[in-house]
Amino acid sequence: MTRPKRILFATDFSAASTPAFREAISMSLQNGAELLIAHAYELPVLGIPSAASADVYEEWDRRIREDAQARVRTLVEEAVREGVKASSLVL
Protein backbone atom coordinates (compact mmCIF):
# COMPACT_ATOMS: atom_id res chain seq x y z
CA MET A 1 0.00 0.00 0.00
CA THR A 2 1.21 3.51 -0.82
CA ARG A 3 2.08 5.66 2.18
CA PRO A 4 0.34 9.01 2.46
CA LYS A 5 2.45 12.11 1.81
CA ARG A 6 0.05 14.42 3.64
CA ILE A 7 -2.44 13.93 6.42
CA LEU A 8 -5.28 16.37 7.00
CA PHE A 9 -6.41 16.95 10.57
CA ALA A 10 -9.48 19.18 10.87
CA THR A 11 -10.24 20.53 14.32
CA ASP A 12 -13.00 22.37 16.12
CA PHE A 13 -10.70 22.82 19.17
CA SER A 14 -12.99 20.69 21.34
CA ALA A 15 -11.69 18.24 23.93
CA ALA A 16 -13.00 15.47 21.68
CA SER A 17 -10.54 16.49 18.95
CA THR A 18 -7.50 15.94 21.19
CA PRO A 19 -7.30 12.14 20.71
CA ALA A 20 -7.70 12.64 16.95
CA PHE A 21 -4.82 15.15 17.00
CA ARG A 22 -2.61 12.65 18.84
CA GLU A 23 -3.51 10.00 16.25
CA ALA A 24 -2.77 12.40 13.37
CA ILE A 25 0.69 13.09 14.83
CA SER A 26 1.31 9.36 15.24
CA MET A 27 0.23 8.62 11.67
CA SER A 28 2.40 11.44 10.35
CA LEU A 29 5.44 10.12 12.21
CA GLN A 30 4.82 6.52 11.10
CA ASN A 31 4.50 7.52 7.45
CA GLY A 32 6.91 10.43 7.26
CA ALA A 33 3.94 12.49 6.12
CA GLU A 34 3.33 16.21 6.39
CA LEU A 35 0.47 17.15 8.71
CA LEU A 36 -1.96 19.85 7.60
CA ILE A 37 -3.92 21.20 10.55
CA ALA A 38 -7.13 22.91 9.45
CA HIS A 39 -9.98 24.80 11.08
CA ALA A 40 -13.04 26.30 9.44
CA TYR A 41 -14.55 29.13 11.43
CA GLU A 42 -17.89 30.73 10.88
CA LEU A 43 -19.12 34.19 11.62
CA PRO A 44 -22.13 34.78 13.80
CA VAL A 45 -25.37 34.81 11.85
CA LEU A 46 -27.40 37.94 12.39
CA GLY A 47 -31.15 37.53 12.29
CA ILE A 48 -31.57 41.10 11.10
CA PRO A 49 -29.07 42.15 8.41
CA SER A 50 -28.93 45.72 9.69
CA ALA A 51 -28.24 44.63 13.29
CA ALA A 52 -24.52 45.41 12.87
CA SER A 53 -22.67 47.74 10.55
CA ALA A 54 -20.23 46.42 7.97
CA ASP A 55 -17.33 47.75 10.07
CA VAL A 56 -18.52 45.85 13.13
CA TYR A 57 -19.02 42.67 11.13
CA GLU A 58 -15.52 42.99 9.61
CA GLU A 59 -14.07 43.47 13.09
CA TRP A 60 -15.82 40.30 14.29
CA ASP A 61 -14.39 38.44 11.30
CA ARG A 62 -10.88 39.71 12.01
CA ARG A 63 -11.02 38.78 15.69
CA ILE A 64 -12.49 35.32 15.12
CA ARG A 65 -9.98 34.60 12.33
CA GLU A 66 -7.01 35.78 14.42
CA ASP A 67 -8.12 33.65 17.37
CA ALA A 68 -8.48 30.59 15.13
CA GLN A 69 -5.07 31.21 13.56
CA ALA A 70 -3.44 31.47 16.98
CA ARG A 71 -5.06 28.26 18.18
CA VAL A 72 -4.05 26.37 15.03
CA ARG A 73 -0.52 27.79 15.32
CA THR A 74 -0.30 26.29 18.82
CA LEU A 75 -1.17 22.86 17.41
CA VAL A 76 1.36 23.24 14.59
CA GLU A 77 4.06 24.13 17.10
CA GLU A 78 3.18 21.08 19.20
CA ALA A 79 3.36 18.80 16.15
CA VAL A 80 6.73 20.27 15.15
CA ARG A 81 8.08 19.66 18.67
CA GLU A 82 7.10 16.02 18.20
CA GLY A 83 9.11 15.85 14.97
CA VAL A 84 6.33 16.28 12.43
CA LYS A 85 6.47 18.66 9.47
CA ALA A 86 3.23 20.59 9.98
CA SER A 87 1.42 23.53 8.46
CA SER A 88 -1.88 25.31 9.04
CA LEU A 89 -4.98 26.27 7.13
CA VAL A 90 -7.75 28.49 8.50
CA LEU A 91 -10.85 28.85 6.38
Side-chain angles (χ1 to χ4, degrees), residues 57-74:
Y57 204 72
E58 287 175 15
E59 179 64 15
W60 286 343
D61 178 54
R62 185 187 64 75
R63 287 182 182 187
I64 293 169
R65 183 180 60 252
E66 287 175 356
D67 178 65
Q69 289 170 332
R71 294 174 79 180
V72 168
R73 190 175 319 113
T74 298

Side-chain angles (χ1 to χ4, degrees), residues 6-45:
R6 283 177 222 89
I7 294 172
L8 172 63
F9 168 69
T11 183
D12 62 359
F13 306 121
S14 68
S17 69
T18 301
F21 179 59
R22 304 291 345 140
E23 183 64 22
I25 288 175
S26 176
M27 290 173 62
S28 295
L29 287 169
Q30 289 171 3
N31 292 287
E34 178 181 356
L35 180 60
L36 176 60
I37 301 170
H39 174 72
Y41 71 95
E42 71 180 289
L43 292 170
V45 177

